[in-house]
Amino acid sequence: GEVVEVGLLSTTLLETTGLADKGEPTGRRVSFVNSYAVRGQYFNFSGEGQWMWDEITVSLPTDANLYAIAKEMERAAREETTESAQLAEQEWNRGKHTAGLARVSAAPMVAMRPAGSGVDIQVRYVTRALGRHEVRDRLYRHVIEMLHEKTKLASPEGASADPDKLHAVS
């Protein structure tokens, strides 16, 4: 993580992801009493920072319109999480007291990766930890409805499936 504050009695870190994920801030602030650092014991005393990076992943065949689908998934994540992302950025930036720290952005990110039978499209976004499952469910529903529209899939009975009766697995 990045050290955001070193006080007389405590130190605060802004947690980041591993190097494989480019060290993006998770939004969690970890504070510990300086004496714990000397002894190698760490505790999270922070009541703020209930933000987290979450993600959805969709596997598609290579003949799908991958870039258009990825763009639509990013747009949906941006619409769903704009308010949360702005609040998270404000909270994260409030904790920065040093001009040298990297600018923190909570904007959704899209990654496309080759997969066994096609391409995985992954969208990462910031959300409150408590509402994580609801946000993920809404995003998966949006993706399912978008794919349903693009392929005009029908249920086995020949009628369109009712999206209100679907529950995306997260």
Side-chain angles (χ1 to χ4, degrees), residues 5-164:
E5 186 174 1
V6 177
L8 183 60
L9 300 175
S10 67
T11 298
T12 302
L13 302 173
L14 180 61
E15 182 185 75
T16 58
T17 59
L19 291 176
D21 292 323
K22 301 179 188 173
E24 294 291 334
T26 64
R28 291 185 280 254
R29 292 174 51 144
V30 180
S31 298
F32 55 89
V33 178
N34 290 339
S35 64
Y36 284 92
V38 174
R39 289 186 253 159
Q41 299 172 332
Y42 303 94
F43 291 89
N44 182 354
F45 292 109
S46 175
E48 291 185 66
Q50 301 302 314
W51 304 102
M52 63 181 295
W53 283 97
D54 200 7
E55 61 190 44
I56 61 169
T57 302
V58 176
S59 298
L60 297 167
T62 55
D63 62 351
N65 191 349
L66 299 170
Y67 293 104
I69 293 170
K71 188 174 183 174
E72 175 62 20
M73 288 174 63
E74 180 182 22
R75 186 195 64 72
R78 191 173 304 280
E79 280 183 13
E80 181 68 37
T81 64
T82 294
E83 185 178 333
S84 291
Q86 289 171 347
L87 291 171
E89 283 180 11
Q90 289 171 5
E91 188 173 305
W92 295 343
N93 288 323
R94 219 181 10 250
K96 293 176 11 178
H97 298 290
T98 306
L101 291 177
R103 184 190 178 300
V104 178
S105 173
M109 296 176 282
V110 176
M112 295 173 60
R113 296 186 177 104
S117 61
V119 174
D120 285 347
I121 300 175
Q122 178 187 62
V123 179
R124 295 186 73 212
Y125 54 91
V126 169
T127 184
R128 283 199 183 275
L130 279 175
R132 166 187 180 198
H133 297 291
E134 292 82 5
V135 171
R136 184 187 293 178
D137 189 55
R138 285 192 298 270
L139 287 172
Y140 271 129
R141 282 177 174 271
H142 179 85
V143 170
I144 291 167
E145 290 171 7
M146 174 190 59
L147 294 173
H148 179 77
E149 283 295 315
K150 291 191 180 301
T151 59
K152 304 286 187 204
L153 292 176
S155 68
E157 295 81 31
S160 290
D162 183 356
D164 292 329

